[in-house]
Amino acid sequence: MNAAEGGDYRIGFGEDAHGLAVGRALWLGGHSVPEAPRGAIAHSDGDALLHALSDAVLSAFALGDIGIHFPPGEPETADMDSRVILRHCLGLVAQKAPTARLVNATAVVTLDAPRLGPHRDAITASCAEFLGLAPGRFGLTFKTSEGLAPDHVQVRASVLFELRR
Ligand code: C5P
Ligand code: MG
Protein backbone atom coordinates (compact mmCIF):
# COMPACT_ATOMS: atom_id res chain seq x y z
CA MET A 1 0.00 0.00 0.00
CA ASN A 2 1.32 3.47 -0.75
CA ALA A 3 -0.13 6.96 -0.44
CA ALA A 4 -1.41 6.87 -4.01
CA GLU A 5 -3.38 3.70 -3.20
CA GLY A 6 -5.08 5.40 -0.25
CA GLY A 7 -3.00 4.21 2.71
CA ASP A 8 -3.43 5.99 6.03
CA TYR A 9 -0.30 7.94 6.95
CA ARG A 10 0.65 10.48 9.64
CA ILE A 11 3.51 12.91 9.24
CA GLY A 12 5.13 14.51 12.27
CA PHE A 13 7.50 17.44 12.62
CA GLY A 14 9.59 18.59 15.58
CA GLU A 15 12.18 21.21 16.42
CA ASP A 16 14.51 21.95 19.29
CA ALA A 17 17.30 24.39 20.06
CA HIS A 18 19.68 24.82 22.96
CA GLY A 19 22.38 27.32 23.79
CA LEU A 20 25.91 25.95 24.09
CA ALA A 21 28.22 26.25 27.11
CA VAL A 22 31.69 25.06 28.07
CA GLY A 23 31.63 22.25 30.62
CA ARG A 24 28.53 20.55 29.21
CA ALA A 25 28.62 17.29 27.24
CA LEU A 26 27.20 17.44 23.71
CA TRP A 27 24.62 14.67 23.21
CA LEU A 28 23.04 14.09 19.82
CA GLY A 29 20.74 11.15 19.23
CA GLY A 30 21.91 9.34 22.36
CA HIS A 31 25.52 9.62 21.15
CA SER A 32 28.06 11.88 22.85
CA VAL A 33 30.48 13.97 20.80
CA PRO A 34 33.56 13.95 23.05
CA GLU A 35 35.62 16.51 21.14
CA ALA A 36 32.84 19.13 21.27
CA PRO A 37 34.17 22.22 23.05
CA ARG A 38 30.68 23.04 24.32
CA GLY A 39 27.46 21.16 25.03
CA ALA A 40 23.79 22.06 25.34
CA ILE A 41 22.61 24.16 28.25
CA ALA A 42 19.56 22.26 29.47
CA HIS A 43 17.65 20.95 32.45
CA SER A 44 17.86 17.44 30.94
CA ASP A 45 20.88 16.03 29.08
CA GLY A 46 20.02 18.56 26.33
CA ASP A 47 19.94 16.04 23.48
CA ALA A 48 18.28 18.34 20.91
CA LEU A 49 18.09 15.55 18.31
CA LEU A 50 16.13 13.21 20.59
CA HIS A 51 13.94 16.12 21.71
CA ALA A 52 13.11 17.10 18.12
CA LEU A 53 12.40 13.47 17.21
CA SER A 54 10.22 13.07 20.30
CA ASP A 55 8.18 16.15 19.40
CA ALA A 56 7.87 14.89 15.82
CA VAL A 57 6.54 11.55 17.08
CA LEU A 58 3.99 13.29 19.33
CA SER A 59 2.91 15.72 16.62
CA ALA A 60 2.11 12.92 14.18
CA PHE A 61 -0.75 11.89 16.48
CA ALA A 62 -1.66 15.31 17.93
CA LEU A 63 -0.31 14.29 21.33
CA GLY A 64 1.02 17.73 22.26
CA ASP A 65 4.71 18.25 22.92
CA ILE A 66 7.36 16.89 25.28
CA GLY A 67 7.03 19.85 27.64
CA ILE A 68 3.53 18.63 28.54
CA HIS A 69 4.72 15.14 29.36
CA PHE A 70 8.12 16.14 30.84
CA PRO A 71 7.74 19.63 32.34
CA PRO A 72 11.07 21.46 32.23
CA GLY A 73 12.36 22.54 35.63
CA GLU A 74 10.72 19.66 37.51
CA PRO A 75 13.11 17.71 39.80
CA GLU A 76 12.15 14.42 38.09
CA THR A 77 13.42 15.65 34.73
CA ALA A 78 16.76 17.04 35.98
CA ASP A 79 19.66 15.62 33.93
CA MET A 80 17.14 13.26 32.35
CA ASP A 81 18.40 10.79 29.75
CA SER A 82 16.48 11.88 26.64
CA ARG A 83 16.20 8.28 25.45
CA VAL A 84 13.59 7.92 28.21
CA ILE A 85 11.63 10.81 26.66
CA LEU A 86 11.65 9.29 23.17
CA ARG A 87 10.68 5.85 24.50
CA HIS A 88 7.77 7.39 26.40
CA CYS A 89 6.56 9.27 23.30
CA LEU A 90 6.70 6.11 21.16
CA GLY A 91 4.71 4.38 23.91
CA LEU A 92 2.03 7.08 23.81
CA VAL A 93 1.70 6.55 20.05
CA ALA A 94 1.44 2.79 20.53
CA GLN A 95 -1.38 3.37 23.04
CA LYS A 96 -3.30 5.81 20.86
CA ALA A 97 -2.71 4.06 17.54
CA PRO A 98 -1.80 0.40 18.12
CA THR A 99 -1.45 -0.31 14.39
CA ALA A 100 0.97 2.58 13.77
CA ARG A 101 4.33 1.66 12.27
CA LEU A 102 7.12 4.16 11.77
CA VAL A 103 8.09 4.20 8.08
CA ASN A 104 11.07 6.57 8.18
CA ALA A 105 12.50 9.60 9.96
CA THR A 106 14.79 12.46 9.02
CA ALA A 107 16.63 15.15 10.95
CA VAL A 108 18.62 18.29 10.18
CA VAL A 109 21.21 19.26 12.80
CA THR A 110 22.48 22.86 12.59
CA LEU A 111 25.74 23.31 14.49
CA ASP A 112 28.82 25.34 13.59
CA ALA A 113 31.39 23.28 15.54
CA PRO A 114 32.63 20.66 15.73
CA ARG A 115 32.27 18.90 12.38
CA LEU A 116 29.77 16.09 12.86
CA GLY A 117 30.61 14.10 9.75
CA PRO A 118 32.83 11.65 11.67
CA HIS A 119 29.84 10.88 13.96
CA ARG A 120 27.28 10.36 11.20
CA ASP A 121 27.27 6.55 11.30
CA ALA A 122 27.18 6.37 15.10
CA ILE A 123 24.38 8.94 15.44
CA THR A 124 22.42 7.26 12.64
CA ALA A 125 22.79 3.82 14.23
CA SER A 126 21.81 5.17 17.63
CA CYS A 127 18.68 6.99 16.40
CA ALA A 128 17.63 4.12 14.15
CA GLU A 129 17.87 1.71 17.06
CA PHE A 130 15.79 3.89 19.40
CA LEU A 131 13.18 4.38 16.67
CA GLY A 132 13.11 0.70 15.70
CA LEU A 133 14.16 1.54 12.14
CA ALA A 134 16.75 0.10 9.79
CA PRO A 135 19.62 2.65 9.49
CA GLY A 136 18.67 3.19 5.85
CA ARG A 137 15.34 4.63 7.00
CA PHE A 138 16.90 7.40 9.08
CA GLY A 139 18.15 10.40 7.08
CA LEU A 140 20.61 12.70 8.84
CA THR A 141 21.66 16.12 7.51
CA PHE A 142 24.32 18.34 9.09
CA LYS A 143 24.42 22.07 8.46
CA THR A 144 26.43 24.97 9.81
CA SER A 145 24.57 28.20 10.54
CA GLU A 146 27.26 29.96 8.47
CA GLY A 147 28.16 31.80 11.66
CA LEU A 148 24.65 33.17 12.17
CA ALA A 149 24.01 31.10 15.32
CA PRO A 150 27.42 29.99 16.61
CA ASP A 151 26.23 29.57 20.21
CA HIS A 152 23.32 27.22 19.51
CA VAL A 153 22.57 23.72 18.43
CA GLN A 154 19.29 23.41 16.52
CA VAL A 155 17.53 20.33 15.20
CA ARG A 156 14.48 19.85 12.98
CA ALA A 157 13.08 16.35 12.60
CA SER A 158 10.30 14.67 10.65
CA VAL A 159 8.71 11.25 10.94
CA LEU A 160 6.22 9.29 8.86
CA PHE A 161 3.91 6.67 10.33
CA GLU A 162 1.69 4.24 8.49
CA LEU A 163 -1.49 2.93 10.08
CA ARG A 164 -1.83 -0.71 9.14
CA ARG A 165 -5.29 -2.01 8.39
O1 C5P B 1 26.23 24.06 6.37
P1 C5P B 1 27.12 23.73 5.27
O2 C5P B 1 26.40 23.69 3.94
O3 C5P B 1 28.32 24.61 5.23
O4 C5P B 1 27.67 22.26 5.52
C1 C5P B 1 28.55 21.70 4.61
C2 C5P B 1 28.97 20.28 4.98
O5 C5P B 1 29.50 20.25 6.28
C3 C5P B 1 27.88 19.25 4.92
O6 C5P B 1 28.36 18.17 4.13
C4 C5P B 1 27.70 18.80 6.35
O7 C5P B 1 27.46 17.42 6.43
C5 C5P B 1 29.00 19.16 7.01
N1 C5P B 1 28.85 19.54 8.41
C6 C5P B 1 29.44 18.79 9.41
N2 C5P B 1 29.34 19.18 10.70
C7 C5P B 1 28.65 20.28 11.03
C8 C5P B 1 28.03 21.06 10.04
C9 C5P B 1 28.14 20.67 8.71
O8 C5P B 1 30.07 17.78 9.15
N3 C5P B 1 28.61 20.64 12.33
MG1 MG C 1 15.75 20.17 24.25
Side-chain angles (χ1 to χ4, degrees), residues 5 8 13 25 33 45 55 58 69 76 85 87 90 92 111-112 115 117 126 129-130 141 145 148 151 153 165:
E5 292 167 325
D8 194 358
F13 182 74
V33 179
D45 65 13
D55 270 339
L58 292 178
H69 304 284
E76 308 87 70
I85 298 175
R87 200 175 303 130
L90 290 167
L92 290 173
L111 180 71
D112 281 5
R115 304 304 279 181
S126 175
E129 185 190 339
F130 300 144
T141 301
S145 78
L148 294 171
D151 302 320
V153 57
R165 293 172 187 224

Side-chain angles (χ1 to χ4, degrees), residues 1-12 60-61 100-104 137 159-165:
M1 178 75 68
N2 59 42
E5 292 167 325
D8 194 358
Y9 292 84
R10 301 295 157 86
I11 192 169
F61 289 90
R101 180 185 66 95
L102 188 60
V103 176
N104 75 318
R137 288 176 180 259
V159 296
L160 181 69
F161 286 90
E162 179 183 15
L163 295 169
R164 283 167 298 193
R165 293 172 187 224

Side-chain angles (χ1 to χ4, degrees), residues 109-118 120 141-146:
V109 179
T110 303
L111 180 71
D112 281 5
R115 304 304 279 181
L116 292 171
R120 181 185 299 281
T141 301
F142 299 135
K143 300 299 292 182
T144 68
S145 78
E146 298 282 357

Side-chain angles (χ1 to χ4, degrees), residues 4-142:
E5 292 167 325
D8 194 358
Y9 292 84
R10 301 295 157 86
I11 192 169
F13 182 74
E15 192 272 348
D16 194 34
H18 285 269
L20 296 170
V22 172
R24 295 277 308 178
L26 181 66
W27 287 95
L28 284 171
H31 170 83
S32 82
V33 179
E35 73 276 24
R38 297 183 294 174
I41 304 163
H43 182 64
S44 69
D45 65 13
D47 192 322
L49 178 46
L50 291 185
H51 296 173
L53 281 169
S54 298
D55 270 339
V57 164
L58 292 178
S59 80
F61 289 90
L63 286 164
D65 59 54
I66 56 175
I68 295 172
H69 304 284
F70 297 91
E74 295 293 318
E76 308 87 70
T77 55
D79 295 322
M80 184 172 237
D81 179 342
S82 296
R83 293 176 294 187
V84 172
I85 298 175
L86 179 56
R87 200 175 303 130
H88 182 78
C89 294
L90 290 167
L92 290 173
V93 167
Q95 265 175 26
K96 183 166 182 179
T99 68
R101 180 185 66 95
L102 188 60
V103 176
N104 75 318
T106 70
V108 181
V109 179
T110 303
L111 180 71
D112 281 5
R115 304 304 279 181
L116 292 171
H119 296 275
R120 181 185 299 281
D121 289 350
I123 296 172
T124 298
S126 175
C127 289
E129 185 190 339
F130 300 144
L131 293 166
L133 289 173
R137 288 176 180 259
F138 183 74
L140 186 55
T141 301
F142 299 135

